[in-house]
Amino acid sequence: STQTLPPLGTGDHDIVHHEMKISHGRKPQKQRPIKLYKKTDWDSFKKEMKDYQRTFQDNLANCDTNTKWSNFKTQLNKLSDSTSQPNSVNPKTGTLGLPVPSNGS
């Protein structure tokens, strides 16, 4: 809707007031998983990494740097997933939601 309002004070120009409904067209964000590192079993994580160190040194001694990094990163993510408790966060409020079900359950 458009309205013409009288001028402010002693001005000689009218005020044009225009209202319209617009949408921003964004899709609502989904809850995304996060890891609760405060609740991580760090003793188990350290033990698993020490075990992996032996395997890493034995099996990847003659590999290139990219292969070593890829292997290490994969193992680190796998251990992180298995030792930390996943949860979800509400993207709008930033608050924690319900625990994320594990793949095996």
Side-chain angles (χ1 to χ4, degrees), residues 12-76:
D12 61 350
H13 290 54
D14 287 343
I15 298 172
V16 177
H17 177 76
H18 185 75
E19 286 186 32
M20 70 176 119
K21 291 183 179 181
I22 59 171
S23 65
H24 53 76
R26 288 188 187 180
K27 294 180 183 177
Q29 291 182 341
K30 297 178 183 176
Q31 286 195 347
R32 60 187 185 278
I34 61 166
K35 295 176 184 167
L36 300 175
Y37 289 108
K38 276 200 272 186
K39 296 182 178 183
T40 298
D41 181 5
W42 290 110
D43 293 330
S44 174
F45 185 86
K46 289 176 188 176
K47 180 188 174 300
E48 292 289 333
M49 282 306 286
K50 287 219 184 262
D51 293 344
Y52 173 70
Q53 180 182 9
R54 287 184 219 102
T55 304
F56 182 83
Q57 289 172 338
D58 293 343
N59 296 343
L60 300 171
N62 298 325
C63 293
D64 66 302
T65 305
N66 288 332
T67 303
K68 288 179 181 179
W69 171 247
S70 177
N71 191 286
F72 176 77
K73 187 171 71 170
T74 301
Q75 181 66 19
L76 192 63

Side-chain angles (χ1 to χ4, degrees), residues 30-36 39 84-91 93-102:
K30 297 178 183 176
Q31 286 195 347
R32 60 187 185 278
I34 61 166
K35 295 176 184 167
L36 300 175
K39 296 182 178 183
S84 64
Q85 295 180 0
N87 207 321
S88 63
V89 66
N90 183 330
T93 63
T95 58
L96 291 176
L98 298 172
V100 176
S102 63

